[in-house]
Amino acid sequence: MSLEVLENYIRQCFEIHGKDAVVEFIWHGGEPVLAGIEFYKTALQLQKRYGSRRKILNTIQTNATCLSDEMCKLFRDHGFLVGVSIDGPKELHNRYRRTKSGEDSFEKTMAGIALLKEYQVPFSTLTTVNSCNMDKPQEVYEFLKKWNSQKISLNEELNKRLKDYTENLKNEKSMKEKIIEVHVSTYN
């Protein structure tokens, strides 16, 4: 995204919201961290310029594989809400989350989570339910719970490329229902 487009986008976001509105910028799609630290520093400067002392939220959804010390400091210092895409333990996560070169991404994602924790950046997790993890709610839940994220989110959108997933969903409880059962049984 060019600087001109970024500036117009931020200016227009403030123009369409009322003066008392909370304005949220959601950095999502592809891997937004690849835009680089300077992109986000510029975005924050533009938000300050056009934001007129409004409450501003920045949310970013990342696979955490490209996080750096500097990026985590920026997230912490500016109150970013960070979501980490992770589909469960290593064997479940790596099934569909590969790098551009086709390599496993789990270790890099975990290194990113470690950086977030080191810099005390609050984060949540987003797990895409798929044919590998949908029948393992206990395993997925226990894995995600141990990272003490602020929230565990599950994306159960039907992935049309996964025929076995859609077939299995027809007659089964959703992953969310299964995880809620696991959670409730843990505390009873």
Side-chain angles (χ1 to χ4, degrees):
M1 179 182 304
S2 72
L3 177 58
E4 180 183 359
V5 170
L6 177 63
E7 184 167 7
N8 284 333
Y9 167 68
I10 289 173
R11 181 182 46 75
Q12 290 171 9
C13 282
F14 287 114
E15 286 173 357
I16 64 171
H17 289 85
K19 295 217 183 274
D20 295 326
V22 174
V23 181
E24 183 175 10
F25 293 86
I26 301 172
W27 309 102
H28 192 265
E31 178 46 54
V33 172
L34 292 177
I37 190 84
E38 292 306 317
F39 174 86
Y40 292 101
K41 286 180 179 179
T42 301
L44 289 164
Q45 290 169 351
L46 292 168
Q47 289 172 358
K48 187 175 180 178
R49 181 186 309 161
Y50 294 109
S52 303
R53 298 187 183 122
R54 291 188 223 187
K55 172 87 171 149
I56 301 168
L57 296 175
N58 282 284
T59 303
I60 189 165
Q61 184 65 38
T62 177
N63 62 25
T65 61
C66 299
L67 292 179
S68 65
D69 293 301
E70 189 177 17
M71 188 71 77
C72 288
K73 287 177 192 174
L74 179 118
F75 291 162
R76 179 196 62 210
D77 294 346
H78 294 279
F80 273 63
L81 305 172
V82 179
V84 176
S85 300
I86 186 158
D87 293 345
K90 185 175 185 172
E91 67 280 357
L92 299 177
H93 176 81
N94 282 335
R95 175 72 173 149
Y96 295 110
R97 295 205 184 263
R98 301 280 193 182
T99 65
K100 187 176 178 181
S101 61
E103 298 172 11
D104 294 347
S105 66
F106 182 81
E107 298 302 331
K108 289 180 179 180
T109 298
M110 295 312 299
I113 288 174
L115 275 176
L116 291 169
K117 291 183 85 51
E118 178 182 339
Y119 287 97
Q120 299 178 338
V121 178
F123 67 95
S124 61
T125 58
L126 175 62
T127 299
T128 299
V129 178
N130 58 54
S131 61
C132 291
N133 64 14
M134 68 179 287
D135 291 326
K136 297 179 170 67
Q138 177 99 30
E139 186 177 346
V140 171
Y141 175 74
E142 293 299 329
F143 174 79
L144 295 172
K145 189 173 99 172
K146 73 180 177 183
W147 297 106
N148 294 320
S149 67
Q150 289 191 319
K151 179 173 75 171
I152 295 172
S153 297
L154 301 170
N155 182 354
E156 291 191 292
E157 293 298 317
L158 295 179
N159 185 336
K160 292 181 176 146
R161 295 177 297 166
L162 300 171
K163 286 184 182 177
D164 55 337
Y165 173 57
T166 57
E167 290 300 315
N168 285 334
L169 273 183
K170 287 179 184 173
N171 298 314
E172 289 197 26
K173 292 180 182 176
S174 74
M175 179 73 148
K176 287 179 185 175
E177 290 171 313
K178 292 175 185 177
I179 284 190
I180 289 169
E181 287 176 357
V182 170
H183 177 74
V184 169
S185 70
T186 302
Y187 292 99
N188 285 336

